[in-house]
């Protein structure tokens, strides 16, 4: 039953995120806010809202291992599972701007997180200030140079809805995020207790993969429809937001620690998958089917190690 309720909670989380973003975007356009700002809000928070809410709920309830492992597991899944699976269907082109700026920034964000975490084996609000400062820099980069991404995201907003409907969607989205986040995290913790598993295990696997499902679906559908021009950029951007925004905000709710001793393994895989994206992208400015298989094998090996650790 706990598995079913956790899945239901994650589903409600994803639906709530979609309602909130769609309603807020439509309302903002109705109120005359620029398309650039609206598009950036979709880019910034669209796919990261489920991770953000689940991590904040976990941190506020004291389940800090789930909060931090959700981000680590989601970032590894975004690259190893989502990008790897999408590349099996068709080679994925990578934009020059992504190779030049966004992937290096993702690696820098990852290194910052790893170094700050390993220094004390936890993240505090001081570290959160550092992450959010980096986040501000990345947002400035988006504002000044990512208008093409914004235009792509704006296509998702098909039409401007009425103000009452937009407000209703925003309200429903917030309620769904709150309810779904609590439902998912509480039952994920019960799973950990019932099976004698660590909170980190649940965060790295069930919660991480569940909150990465939007990225997985979008990645595969975009590739099949030959609309994968910004696919790598979207996944890289999501990973940056996960570290800088989600860990940055969550660290203000509680000190973030993990309940397993050999967490260095997870951090190594987090860094390795980030570097692999750069290596594969810079070689031929695309990620081939063979490289996609390599990413899936790395992710499968990682999950095997996590399951073995328990």
């Amino acid at each position: 039953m706990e598995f079913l309720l956790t899945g239901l909670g994650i589903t409600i989380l994803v639906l709530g995120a979609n309602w909130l973003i769609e309603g807020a975007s439509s309302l903002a356009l109705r109120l005359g806010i620029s398309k650039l700002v609206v598009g950036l809000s979709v880019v910034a928070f669209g796919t990261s809202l489920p991770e953000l809410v689940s991590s904040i709920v976990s941190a506020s309830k004291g389940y800090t291992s789930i909060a931090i492992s959700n981000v680590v597991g989601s970032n590894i899944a975004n690259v190893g599972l989502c990008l790897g699976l999408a590349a099996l269907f068709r080679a994925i082109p990578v934009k020059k701007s992504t190779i030049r700026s966004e992937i290096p920034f993702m690696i820098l964000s990852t290194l910052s997180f790893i170094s700050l975490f390993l220094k004390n084996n936890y993240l505090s609000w001081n570290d959160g200030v550092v992450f959010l400062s980096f986040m501000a820099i990345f947002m400035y980069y988006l504002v000044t140079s990512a208008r093409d991404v914004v235009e792509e995201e704006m296509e998702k907003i098909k039409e401007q809805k009425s103000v009452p409907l937009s407000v209703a969607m925003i309200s429903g989205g917030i309620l769904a995020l709150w309810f779904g986040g609590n439902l998912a995290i509480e039952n994920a913790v019960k799973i950990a207790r019932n099976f004698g598993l660590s909170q980190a295990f649940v965060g790295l696997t069930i919660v991480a993969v569940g909150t990465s499902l939007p990225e997985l679906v979008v990645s595969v559908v975009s590739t099949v429809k030959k609309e994968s021009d910004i696919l790598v950029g979207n996944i890289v951007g999501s990973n940056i937001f996960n570290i800088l925004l989600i860990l940055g905000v969550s660290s203000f709710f509680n000190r973030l620690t993990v309940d397993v001793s050999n967490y260095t393994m997870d951090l190594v895989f987090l860094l390795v998958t980030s570097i692999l994206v750069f290596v594969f992208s810079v070689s031929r400015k695309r990620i081939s089917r063979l490289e996609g298989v390599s990413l899936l094998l790395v992710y499968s090996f990682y999950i095997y190690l996590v399951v073995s650790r328990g």
Side-chain angles (χ1 to χ4, degrees), residues 29-245:
L29 291 175
R30 282 276 183 188
L31 297 176
I33 297 174
S34 73
K35 287 188 175 183
L36 177 63
V37 174
V38 175
L40 281 173
S41 69
V42 175
V43 174
F45 305 112
T47 57
S48 292
L49 261 179
E51 286 95 336
L52 177 62
V53 173
S54 58
S55 289
I56 288 176
V57 169
S58 301
S60 62
K61 290 179 176 291
Y63 308 136
T64 58
S65 285
I66 293 181
I68 200 167
S69 296
N70 176 30
V71 168
V72 173
S74 289
N75 279 19
I76 296 172
N78 281 349
V79 174
L81 181 61
C82 300
L83 202 54
L85 191 60
L88 288 185
F89 291 88
R90 186 175 286 106
I92 304 172
V94 186
K95 289 193 170 184
K96 286 184 179 179
S97 61
T98 302
I99 299 172
R100 262 195 335 262
S101 305
E102 293 156 27
I103 296 177
F105 201 90
M106 176 182 70
I107 295 173
L108 176 63
S109 303
T110 302
L111 286 170
S112 301
F113 159 58
I114 292 173
S115 59
L116 288 173
F117 180 77
L118 290 180
K119 184 175 70 173
N120 298 310
N121 287 323
Y122 64 80
L123 294 177
S124 64
W125 68 268
N126 310 70
D127 303 312
V129 170
V130 175
F131 291 153
L132 292 177
S133 299
F134 275 119
M135 183 68 197
I137 295 172
F138 187 65
M139 287 301 294
Y140 175 78
Y141 161 76
L142 282 181
V143 170
T144 55
S145 63
R147 283 177 169 79
D148 55 337
V149 177
V150 171
E151 290 300 321
E152 187 81 18
E153 293 295 332
M154 284 303 300
E155 291 179 8
K156 298 176 183 177
I157 306 169
K158 301 299 182 184
E159 58 183 10
Q160 297 177 32
K161 296 173 173 57
S162 66
V163 172
L165 179 58
S166 297
V167 172
M169 291 184 74
I170 293 170
S171 303
I174 292 172
L175 287 173
L177 284 168
W178 177 81
F179 179 74
N182 277 282
L183 185 66
I185 297 306
E186 288 294 340
N187 284 280
V189 171
K190 288 179 183 178
I191 291 171
R193 289 172 179 166
N194 291 344
F195 289 88
L197 302 170
S198 65
Q199 290 179 23
F201 173 85
V202 176
L204 290 164
T205 54
I206 300 171
V207 179
V209 174
T211 53
S212 289
L213 282 178
E215 287 94 337
L216 178 60
V217 173
V218 169
S219 297
V220 173
V221 171
S222 298
T223 305
V224 171
K225 291 185 175 181
K226 299 182 180 180
E227 298 172 351
S228 55
D229 284 352
I230 62 166
L231 177 57
V232 177
N234 283 348
I235 287 180
V236 168
S238 178
N239 280 12
I240 292 171
F241 286 118
N242 284 350
I243 290 176
L244 300 183
L245 178 65

